[in-house]
């Protein structure tokens, strides 16, 4: 990566890292504080859902504001609003006021991510997006792990100290962006594919994205409640949540490489079955602290891998001209799932106890398993067209950042055997091909397995 490109990406990545440390433990902090105050799981779920509602609203509308006022001013505005909402939560306690503040905070947070992701999107050509995305992921997950580990430290400093630290970090994150030269990348207003067209194009991708939003949101908002109610201290809750995020960071790549070499539908079936087993273990095994740590590490790897594998599967079938809009539409579906999850699962925890979280995890994973198996029986997956990319986009710009040069080239080389004009009528679809590309055609060979490469040829 050139020094010039690194210089352009450094400021937004540093801002992301600083903000992400505070944002990394805010959801956990709010859950444990509400529980300590005696609020029910249902109330905690409602307050938690407000953040994801704000994320969904911001993902749909914040790009219009960014186009009006520019990146740097937008970042300063959004980050300041994040700081204000967090500090207000530290000043007084009221669950319904916190609901409003979390909604506003979610809306502002996704605005921050929109600025960062759109800046990275335009910082370099498509051929370097993979490297920029890798740096983005490292910054995001590393900040999340550090943030969770700081939960116990800041909580020991006083009741309001954690909120003050998060507010200060949000304010400090403005500094790297403020030092960028006054040049704003140009972006266009995003128009993702609507849900009904996504269902026509990729039912498996839609359910995978929806389900991922549900389980990931539950992990962030309700897993800390479960951990605190089984007797863990705030410091231990933060450590266990750090393991969940660490599992997400370390296991996505090997799962992705597996999906590069095999039918991605089988990978989705495997992830779903794995999550069923982890949920069963959480329900029925005698849990020592080390065993719990291992299970949560593995759970993080499973639930966080579901979304990128589902998006990769959808991209294997989409026409090259529809990749960006498809990715943005699946992000919206993912946000809807995250919004619904705390509202659906928290009443189960209220009704059947804290174990209701893993009954819900197991039940959802079983539904995914059955659906993916059925889809594979009626509609086998196409051959992977480009390497898996681990990603956790927060905005439409981030969804576009996932569309690398390799993915576009792969889609162009493997135009599909059916006419998809009904699913994406405004995108030209190539004439159906009757077999693999001719031997003399140019391909992007990304498999290490020689046998797999020979199959493509």
């Amino acid at each position: 990566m050139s020094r010039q490109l690194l210089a352009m990406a450094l400021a937004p990545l540093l801002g992301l890292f600083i903000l992400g440390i505070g944002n990394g433990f805010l959801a956990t902090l709010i859950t444990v504080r509400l529980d300590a105050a005696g609020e029910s799981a249902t109330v905690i779920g409602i307050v938690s859902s407000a953040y994801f509602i704000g994320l969904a609203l911001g993902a749909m509308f914040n790009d219009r504001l960014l186009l009006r006022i520019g990146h740097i001013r937008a970042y300063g505005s959004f980050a300041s609003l994040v700081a204000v909402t967090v500090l207000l939560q530290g000043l007084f306690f009221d669950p319904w006021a916190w609901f409003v503040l979390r909604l506003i905070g979610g809306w502002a947070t996704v605005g921050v991510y929109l600025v960062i992701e759109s800046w990275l999107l335009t910082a370099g050509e498509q051929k370097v997006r993979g490297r920029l995305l890798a740096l983005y992921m490292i910054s995001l997950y590393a900040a999340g792990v550090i943030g969770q580990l700081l939960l116990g430290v800041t909580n020991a400093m006083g009741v309001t100290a954690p909120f003050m630290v998060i507010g200060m970090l949000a304010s400090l994150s403005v500094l790297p962006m403020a030092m960028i030269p006054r040049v704003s990348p140009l972006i266009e207003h995003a128009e993702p594919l609507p849900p009904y067209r996504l269902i026509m194009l990729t039912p498996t991708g839609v359910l995978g994205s929806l389900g991922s939003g549900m389980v990931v949101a539950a992990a962030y908002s309700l897993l800390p409640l479960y951990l605190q109610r089984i007797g863990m201290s705030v410091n231990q809750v933060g450590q266990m949540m750090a393991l969940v995020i660490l599992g997400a960071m370390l296991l996505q790549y090997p799962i992705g490489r597996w999906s590069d070499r095999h039918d991605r539908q089988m990978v989705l079936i495997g992830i779903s079955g794995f999550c069923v087993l982890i949920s069963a273990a959480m329900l029925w095994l005698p849990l020592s602290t080390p065993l719990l740590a291992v299970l949560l590490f593995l759970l993080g790897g499973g639930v966080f891998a579901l979304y990128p594998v589902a998006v990769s599967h959808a991209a294997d079938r989409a026409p090259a001209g529809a990749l960006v809009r498809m990715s943005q539409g699946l992000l919206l579906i993912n946000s809807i799932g995250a919004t619904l999850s705390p509202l659906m699962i928290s009443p189960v925890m209220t009704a059947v106890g804290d174990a209701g979280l893993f009954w819900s995890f197991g039940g959802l994973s079983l539904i995914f398993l059955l659906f993916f198996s059925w889809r594979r029986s009626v509609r086998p997956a196409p051959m992977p067209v480009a390497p898996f990319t681990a990603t956790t986009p927060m905005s439409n710009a981030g969804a576009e950042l996932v569309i690398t040069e390799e993915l576009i080239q792969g889609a162009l080389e493997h135009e599909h055997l059916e006419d998809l004009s009904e699913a994406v009528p405004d995108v030209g679809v190539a004439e159906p091909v009757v077999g693999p590309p001719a031997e003399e055609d140019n391909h992007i060979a990304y498999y290490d397995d020689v046998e797999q490469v020979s199959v493509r040829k």
Side-chain angles (χ1 to χ4, degrees):
M1 183 179 294
S2 68
R3 291 184 179 181
Q4 181 180 6
L5 179 60
L6 182 60
M8 290 186 67
L10 184 60
L13 288 174
L14 184 57
L16 168 71
F17 182 75
I18 295 171
L19 181 81
I21 293 174
N23 200 49
F25 72 91
L26 179 57
T28 306
L29 172 67
I30 289 172
T31 296
V32 299
R33 286 292 174 86
L34 288 170
D35 182 53
E39 299 296 338
S40 68
T42 301
V43 171
I44 294 172
I46 292 171
V47 174
S48 299
S49 71
Y51 175 75
F52 297 104
I53 294 171
L55 287 180
L57 293 174
M60 289 187 289
F61 301 117
N62 278 355
D63 54 346
R64 293 179 174 89
L65 180 60
L66 184 57
L67 288 169
R68 285 176 176 266
I69 67 175
H71 282 65
I72 297 176
R73 285 191 295 172
Y75 188 98
S77 302
F78 287 131
S80 297
L81 194 54
V82 170
V84 168
T85 57
V86 172
L87 292 173
L88 284 173
Q89 286 179 267
L91 286 177
F92 64 93
F93 177 85
D94 179 84
W96 304 114
W98 278 22
F99 177 90
V100 175
L101 291 172
R102 285 297 279 161
L103 191 150
I104 298 171
W107 175 79
T109 299
V110 80
V112 169
Y113 284 109
L114 173 62
V115 174
I116 292 170
E117 291 171 351
S118 61
W119 194 283
L120 292 176
L121 180 66
T122 55
E125 300 176 355
Q126 277 184 338
K127 63 184 179 182
V128 300
R129 281 187 188 174
R131 284 173 281 176
L132 287 173
L133 194 58
L135 291 173
Y136 173 84
M137 293 296 294
I138 292 170
S139 301
L140 187 66
Y141 280 122
V145 172
I146 294 171
Q148 294 289 349
L149 294 175
L150 285 178
L151 175 62
V153 176
T154 58
N155 192 68
M157 296 167 62
V159 175
T160 61
F163 296 100
M164 294 174 63
V165 170
I166 296 170
M168 288 188 292
L169 288 169
S171 298
L172 284 173
S173 73
V174 177
L175 291 181
M177 294 297 293
M179 296 177 184
I180 293 177
R182 298 179 63 180
V183 177
S184 289
L186 297 176
I187 63 170
E188 297 180 358
H189 175 60
E191 294 184 3
L193 281 178
Y196 74 95
R197 296 212 178 275
L198 285 169
I199 293 173
M200 294 173 63
L201 178 64
T202 173
T204 297
V206 168
L207 184 69
S209 299
L210 180 72
S212 171
M214 297 180 73
V215 293
V216 169
Y220 273 125
S221 58
L222 298 176
L223 182 56
L225 174 64
Y226 170 86
L227 294 172
Q228 182 159 275
R229 288 188 174 178
I230 63 173
M232 289 194 162
S233 66
V234 173
N235 188 49
Q236 289 174 314
V237 170
Q239 292 171 354
M240 291 296 172
M241 291 301 297
L243 282 173
V244 173
I245 299 173
L246 189 64
M249 180 172 66
L250 296 181
L251 297 183
Q252 277 195 50
Y253 182 76
I255 292 174
R257 295 292 288 172
W258 176 33
S259 78
D260 280 347
R261 292 175 168 82
H262 299 85
D263 179 340
R264 293 204 210 270
Q265 283 178 324
M266 282 302 300
V267 177
L268 290 169
I269 292 169
I271 292 173
S272 303
F274 179 74
C275 289
V276 171
L277 294 176
I278 294 293
S279 299
M282 293 292 295
L283 288 169
W284 294 319
L285 290 181
L287 295 176
S288 62
T289 299
L291 178 59
L292 179 62
V294 171
L295 290 175
L296 291 179
F297 177 86
L298 295 174
L299 181 69
V303 299
F304 280 83
L306 185 60
Y307 178 76
V309 174
V311 173
S312 295
H313 165 77
D316 290 337
R317 185 164 179 247
L323 286 172
V324 172
R325 296 183 62 202
M326 178 212 69
S327 180
Q328 292 168 341
L330 291 178
L331 176 62
L332 178 59
I333 296 291
N334 183 262
S335 299
I336 292 171
T339 299
L340 295 175
S341 172
L343 298 173
M344 295 173 58
I345 296 177
S346 57
V348 178
M349 296 180 69
T350 299
V352 305
D354 304 326
L357 173 64
F358 289 100
W359 282 111
S360 300
F361 269 152
L364 287 171
S365 299
L366 182 60
I367 292 172
F368 305 154
L369 173 63
L370 294 174
F371 181 86
F372 296 148
S373 299
W374 170 70
R375 284 301 300 172
R376 188 173 188 274
S377 69
V378 299
R379 177 93 191 154
M383 179 169 54
V385 302
F388 166 93
T389 302
T391 180
T392 308
M394 299 292 290
S395 70
N396 285 324
E400 186 174 351
L401 187 63
V402 180
I403 310 303
T404 61
E405 185 180 45
E406 292 85 359
L407 187 59
I408 294 173
Q409 185 63 32
L412 290 171
E413 291 177 0
H414 299 89
E415 289 288 2
H416 308 288
L417 299 177
E418 77 239 272
D419 182 2
L420 298 175
S421 58
E422 290 187 8
V424 279
D426 52 346
V427 176
V429 181
E431 291 293 324
V433 296
V434 293
E439 192 169 16
E440 63 272 11
D441 288 351
N442 293 324
H443 315 298
I444 296 176
Y446 63 91
Y447 294 104
D448 293 331
D449 191 334
V450 176
E451 180 181 354
Q452 290 281 3
V453 175
S454 64
V455 169
R456 296 183 70 193
K457 292 184 177 179

